[in-house]
Amino acid sequence: MRLKALLTSEKGFVRQVVIVMAILALIPAISHGEFFVSTLCLSVIWAIMGIGWNVIGGYAGQVSNGHAMFFAVGAYVGAWGLKAFHLTPWITMWIGAALCMLLAFIVGWPLLRLRGHYFAISTMAIVECVRIICTNWDLIGGATGVSFFEKEMSPFYTLQFQNRVPFYYICLAFMLVFIIASRAIQQSKFGYYCRAIKANQDSAESAGVNSTSYKRWAYMISAAIVGIGGALYAQYIQYIDPVSLLPLSNSMLIVLIVVMGGIGTIWGPVLGAFIMTFINQYARALFNQLSGLNLFIYGVLCLIIVLFLPKGLISIFTNDKVKNVFRKKKEPGKEAE
């Protein structure tokens, strides 16, 4: 009965999940182009990282500009687990997620006592320190990086496929899990407390909410999800180094994906990830002589969204004016103004 009641109360969300996942699952059947499917894989991976950042940034209201370090930890653990110990990513990704949570706990202990732009700037400093450490740490490959292509083992063991389609569906399954987890967080007491902290931390604390503890847990959960995204990215690219994992632009792109899609929403990070990734990949492919064009397009899109869609692109679908177009009839007893 509880399951039936839950499904009834979440009927709208379940319908959205079924429709979106069905569309995404059918897309590879329409186009088998290698570049297109690779871009789909990257889109789903970035969506996972956007969903992760949304827990701390969208729900708890703490703008972290340093999530690339959790992305890198997940990638490095997955890469070295396979290269040095022949461990499947199905295991190492969870080890990486646990290490990301530990790192978030250690880093978050002092940093989450800061507020606003002080916290944002401090996270940027931390990720830059991590980049320098990884660049000079020979044990993990240093500036040379790590190449770990493995062709002797089963592709389902290594998650390294010649055809990207199976990998895409695996990533899609992870994204589905994290979308459901995000919804569960949003509807839980934890999610309500996080949103109270975001709205007004002082008022939340006066009502008895331990803001530091809830922000720390949000930071740890966020780090774990981004770490999973990093592990999937490592198996996708099969070569990692500090330059590709830890530039400040990666942290900012994670933030930009969520802000552009719709911060604090379930589907915003997914929408933002697909739009940003396709713009990035196709701008590079079509205008390879014009380096930085993708960044110019990002800037223009940000200006448009800030001016006309401050709640993100997802607000196009949640706007009451748009909803009215699809309503069959007015609600009884209500007259148009």
Side-chain angles (χ1 to χ4, degrees), residues 116 220 271 288 290 326:
M220 291 166 64
L271 180 62
N288 55 4
L290 301 174
F326 297 98

Side-chain angles (χ1 to χ4, degrees), residues 50 53-64 186 198 254-269 305 309-315:
W53 187 90
N54 199 39
V55 175
I56 183 68
Y59 298 153
Q62 310 303 305
V63 180
S64 169
Q186 187 187 61
K198 177 183 177 180
I254 296 173
V255 178
L256 191 58
I257 280 170
V258 182
V259 172
M260 184 166 290
I263 191 168
T265 65
I266 298 293
W267 296 107
I305 288 170
L309 295 168
K311 294 184 179 180
L313 292 169
I314 199 68
S315 63

Side-chain angles (χ1 to χ4, degrees), residues 215-328:
K215 287 192 295 183
R216 188 179 299 124
W217 273 107
Y219 196 43
M220 291 166 64
I221 294 169
S222 175
I225 297 174
V226 172
I228 296 291
L232 292 171
Y233 179 81
Q235 305 309 321
Y236 166 84
I237 206 73
Q238 297 165 15
Y239 170 79
I240 58 172
D241 65 344
V243 173
S244 62
L245 296 178
L246 287 162
L248 185 59
S249 59
N250 274 357
S251 293
M252 300 309 298
L253 184 56
I254 296 173
V255 178
L256 191 58
I257 280 170
V258 182
V259 172
M260 184 166 290
I263 191 168
T265 65
I266 298 293
W267 296 107
V270 178
L271 180 62
F274 274 80
I275 291 174
M276 297 295 286
T277 306
F278 270 83
I279 289 174
N280 186 31
Q281 293 298 100
Y282 278 89
R284 288 180 178 179
L286 296 174
F287 306 103
N288 55 4
Q289 301 298 322
L290 301 174
S291 63
L293 179 64
N294 57 315
L295 298 177
F296 173 76
I297 297 173
Y298 290 167
V300 172
L301 284 174
C302 281
L303 285 174
I304 293 172
I305 288 170
V306 167
L307 291 173
F308 302 105
L309 295 168
K311 294 184 179 180
L313 292 169
I314 199 68
S315 63
I316 296 172
F317 303 98
T318 58
N319 190 287
D320 287 337
K321 293 180 180 179
V322 176
K323 287 181 178 179
N324 287 335
V325 174
F326 297 98
R327 285 178 180 166
K328 294 181 180 179

Side-chain angles (χ1 to χ4, degrees), residues 164-175:
R164 296 286 192 187
V165 174
F167 185 72
Y168 169 70
Y169 285 118
I170 290 171
C171 292
L172 201 61
F174 275 100
M175 189 184 82

Side-chain angles (χ1 to χ4, degrees), residues 4-32:
K4 184 178 179 180
L6 180 63
L7 290 175
T8 302
S9 64
E10 296 291 339
K11 184 166 58 177
F13 173 67
V14 171
R15 187 186 303 116
Q16 293 170 10
V17 169
V18 171
I19 292 172
V20 172
M21 298 307 294
I23 292 171
L24 293 178
L26 290 173
I27 288 177
I30 299 170
S31 175
H32 294 285

Side-chain angles (χ1 to χ4, degrees), residues 21-88:
M21 298 307 294
I23 292 171
L24 293 178
L26 290 173
I27 288 177
I30 299 170
S31 175
H32 294 285
E34 184 177 347
F35 182 74
F36 181 77
V37 176
S38 293
T39 305
L40 281 175
C41 291
L42 276 178
S43 299
V44 175
I45 291 170
W46 281 106
I48 290 170
M49 290 190 285
I51 291 167
W53 187 90
N54 199 39
V55 175
I56 183 68
Y59 298 153
Q62 310 303 305
V63 180
S64 169
N65 291 328
H67 264 50
M69 64 179 167
F70 305 123
F71 174 51
V73 169
Y76 269 107
V77 171
W80 274 106
L82 184 60
K83 182 180 178 68
F85 305 104
H86 302 292
L87 288 175
T88 175

